[in-house]
Amino acid sequence: MNDGEKTKAQLISEMQIMRRQLEHLETLQRQYEKTLRDSQHQLQQAQKMETLGTLVAGVAHEINNPINLIMYNIPLLQKIWADFMPVLKERQQREPDQKFGGFDYDFLTDNLVQLVADMEMAAHRITKTVSDLKNFSRQSNVVEKAPLQVNSAVKNAMRLAQTTLRTSAVEVNLKLGDNLPDIDGNLQSIEQIILNILINAVQAIDHDQGKIDVTTGFRNKDGRVYIRITDNGRGISTTIAEKIFLPFITDKQSQGGTGLGLSVSYSLAKAHEGEIIFDSRPGAGTSFTIYLPSVLKGQAAKILVVDDDNAIRQMLIEALTMDHQYLVEEASNGIEASIKLGTYRPDLLILDIFMPEMDGLELCRIISSEPELSEMKVIVTTGYPEHPKLDEIIALGYTNIFSKPFDLLNFVQALGKILGEKD
Ligand SMILES: Nc1ncnc2c1ncn2[C@@H]1O[C@H](COP(=O)(O)OP(=O)(O)OP(=O)(O)O)[C@@H](O)[C@H]1O
Ligand SMILES: [Mg+2]
């Protein structure tokens, strides 16, 4: 090969690298634009909910006193009426045609007790609505939090829903995750969220093969615990889906639904810095997932595992997340990794060298030129410790090298030291 050809080959290779980096930058740009759009939308939604919360709190406050007065007076009225009956009877015997407020004695004895009982029931319903509204606007009892297990909340909610579940003949399968970290939460509030979603699931099933799965688990990548409730009911109608968390959105008016269940649940989840998302297919079913930050979030170190071999990634993730030591996110090549570096901000990167799309060396070049990533620790893993690419990586300053295959226990121990943890 003469010098001219060598330069040409070099040029082509450099151009290929540049093209890939350009593609990578375009992918990054699209990703950032999407993140920006999503966060603007979320902000608008949050502001809308905030305004609605203030309005609702005001209305709830205004209704609260009058309805309490009514609730207080109804039993008085019932007592007075019971004492009054014999007096009225005596009067009716003396003057059989006497009317009371336009009604005769027989009508009153037949109906008045029921009329007052109906008023009492209606007043109870208003009180319940006011309390839901207060919950929605979070103006009611300040949420007192303590470390708790979401599995306990699920079991309690199941007990509270027992009557509904028994009468509906829906089959409920619990798949509760083992060894979940605690969340810092208010047990009653978490139970209420689960109960609201569970009851909705039961109500959405209108056939006799009803099935509800309640699953709990932990998400390694963001340290959040989740509770997922999946039904095989009718699915959420598109008109409802777009405003489902707003108060008074319901298709159950005739069955007494107020449309407050999910808006209250949304607010309670938000008070726990959590979120509720849903996925629904008309006619096939719905899945609601409640994500709540575990006590590990913000405590455990974040790791990004980059390897194109899925089996190796899963093995590493398993070793690192055992006992929830670390929060772990994964990527299968350099491009995917560089996108995740921007959003996930790991404390440590475990990086394979030979990968399609963008290899470990190219990623190291990008990282070393990015001041914001200078604090991030890097461990390089490779099956080819003799390869010249490794020398280039070391020359860039990345000197934590592990030759594959390695002993997992030693690896996790060494990783702890690199992260600056005590033995
Ligand atoms: N699992 C589900 N499947 C289908 N539709 C659902 C499901 N969960 C909620 N919905 C829809 O969302 C609406 C709002 O639910 P939400 O719990 O807020 O109020 P509601 O159940 O109608 O009344 P309330 O909970 O106040 O008694 C429901 O009326 C229903 O149309
Ligand atoms: Mg409901």
Side-chain angles (χ1 to χ4, degrees), residues 196 199-200 203 252 261-262:
N196 287 345
I199 300 285
N200 280 349
Q203 291 169 340
K252 301 177 200 162
L262 284 178

Side-chain angles (χ1 to χ4, degrees), residues 190-202:
I190 305 299
E191 284 164 10
Q192 197 185 342
I193 301 175
I194 300 168
L195 187 64
N196 287 345
I197 294 176
L198 194 61
I199 300 285
N200 280 349
V202 175

Side-chain angles (χ1 to χ4, degrees), residues 347-362:
D347 302 293
L348 184 137
L349 181 71
I350 300 176
L351 182 63
D352 183 30
I353 299 184
F354 294 99
M355 293 178 293
E357 307 290 335
M358 183 191 280
D359 67 17
L361 172 60
E362 285 176 76

Side-chain angles (χ1 to χ4, degrees), residues 200 204 231 235-236 240 244 249-252 257-262 286:
N200 280 349
D231 67 64
I236 302 173
I240 295 236
I244 200 159
I249 299 298
T250 180
D251 58 7
K252 301 177 200 162
T258 54
L260 281 170
L262 284 178
T286 303

Side-chain angles (χ1 to χ4, degrees), residues 105-125:
Y105 174 80
D106 288 339
F107 178 86
L108 291 180
T109 45
D110 288 348
N111 295 296
L112 205 108
V113 170
Q114 188 57 45
L115 286 178
V116 180
D118 287 350
M119 277 164 57
E120 193 181 24
M121 198 180 72
H124 269 297
R125 189 167 154 80

